[in-house]
Amino acid sequence: MGGLRLNAIAIDEVRDMFGADEGLSTKLRKWTEATFSVPVHHHRRSGWRNPFHPLHKPNVEGPMLPVGWPTPNDVEDLVHGRFIEPDRLGRCWRLVNEWLTHLSWGWTEIPMSVARLDELDFDLAAVGLSSTCAIKRLMVGEPQIPLRPAPGMRIGYARTGQVLTTRLGLADVVDTIPAERRGEGDAILEFLNSYPGWMDLASDLGRPAADLLVVWQPDTVGGIQPTSLTSGQTVS
């Protein structure tokens, strides 16, 4: 089915991760190590020789990474803003999602198919929501980051003003959708309702006001399988 991930963060702070300065890159590496570190496995091989290879050392050690686990090269290529090959996109997005949990004012993942996203906008329009407040309008901005979407992913962003407009429009109509069909709308509105508080915090801390980065992720993206609503708040 996949899931819709909402990240409350200024788009310039998203872009800053790619080609990060020393202070930010240190944080990104630290968060990566805390989440994706694996124990070093020790392997013992008996020495043997064949005509094509030199004698193997009896002790070899190195990390055994799970399938789809980000590698140190992925981290360095992301923080330096380098090109990421197609077969690495899924695990690199796994890294970026982890970094966003720390950098965003808040985030949430809502289980939802693309078809259901279309249905939700139709349901909202049917009860009077203006097209200027459609959920899909929160994804029309191009993030302009060097990391491309993994196969099947969709990404986009909305500026703070669009987020606040959508919040007000959604609040006016979401309760008029039949209860059995409004769970995703309620979850989105609950998230957007935190924006005024996050804006005040951003002003107090000298950070830019939060925009909204939206990522729709299919189940086929490695390590991304939202099955229930999850969310969090971070003040970094």
Side-chain angles (χ1 to χ4, degrees):
M1 176 173 63
L4 194 68
R5 178 175 175 124
L6 310 179
N7 302 277
I9 183 172
I11 192 63
D12 287 341
E13 292 184 317
V14 176
R15 294 166 181 159
D16 286 345
M17 294 189 298
F18 307 93
D21 61 26
E22 182 177 354
L24 179 57
S25 61
T26 297
K27 290 181 179 180
L28 300 179
R29 293 185 184 101
K30 179 185 69 175
W31 294 330
T32 300
E33 183 177 358
T35 301
F36 296 108
S37 61
V38 295
V40 173
H41 294 266
H42 298 267
H43 309 279
R44 180 170 294 277
R45 298 177 181 171
S46 59
W48 62 277
R49 189 177 183 87
N50 67 32
F52 307 103
H53 298 284
L55 185 68
H56 283 260
K57 295 181 179 180
N59 293 296
V60 180
E61 64 178 49
M64 301 292 289
L65 297 177
V67 175
W69 214 246
T71 70
N73 284 342
D74 295 334
V75 178
E76 294 309 308
D77 287 345
L78 286 173
V79 299
H80 287 94
R82 298 172 184 147
F83 174 77
I84 301 297
E85 294 83 357
D87 63 333
R88 299 164 58 201
L89 291 172
R91 66 181 194 241
C92 284
W93 270 104
R94 192 171 185 178
L95 265 177
V96 168
N97 282 336
E98 173 61 24
W99 295 345
L100 287 169
T101 64
H102 295 276
L103 291 171
S104 299
W105 296 102
W107 60 273
T108 190
E109 289 180 355
I110 305 170
M112 187 186 306
S113 66
V114 170
R116 177 57 191 137
L117 181 57
D118 290 336
E119 291 173 358
L120 178 60
D121 267 337
F122 179 84
D123 290 342
L124 291 167
V127 295
L129 184 67
S130 169
S131 61
T132 61
C133 299
I135 303 303
K136 278 195 170 180
R137 285 191 63 85
L138 297 175
M139 301 183 69
V140 298
E142 169 55 54
Q144 298 179 343
I145 56 176
L147 182 63
R148 295 160 298 149
M153 285 181 65
R154 300 184 182 187
I155 64 173
Y157 86 97
R159 289 289 188 181
T160 310
Q162 179 64 41
V163 174
L164 297 178
T165 298
T166 301
R167 170 180 171 257
L168 293 177
L170 195 57
D172 285 341
V173 302
V174 72
D175 287 344
T176 62
I177 298 176
E180 67 274 11
R181 293 178 61 81
R182 70 168 182 250
E184 298 94 344
D186 284 339
I188 293 171
L189 178 58
E190 180 180 3
F191 183 77
L192 299 186
N193 278 339
S194 295
Y195 264 74
W198 289 331
M199 291 174 66
D200 289 342
L201 281 173
S203 178
D204 291 343
L205 296 176
R207 283 179 58 182
D211 300 312
L212 179 66
L213 178 70
V214 184
V215 181
W216 186 83
Q217 304 167 133
D219 289 344
T220 52
V221 174
I224 308 296
Q225 298 188 36
T227 56
S228 61
L229 178 66
T230 56
S231 61
Q233 295 191 34
T234 306
V235 178
S236 299

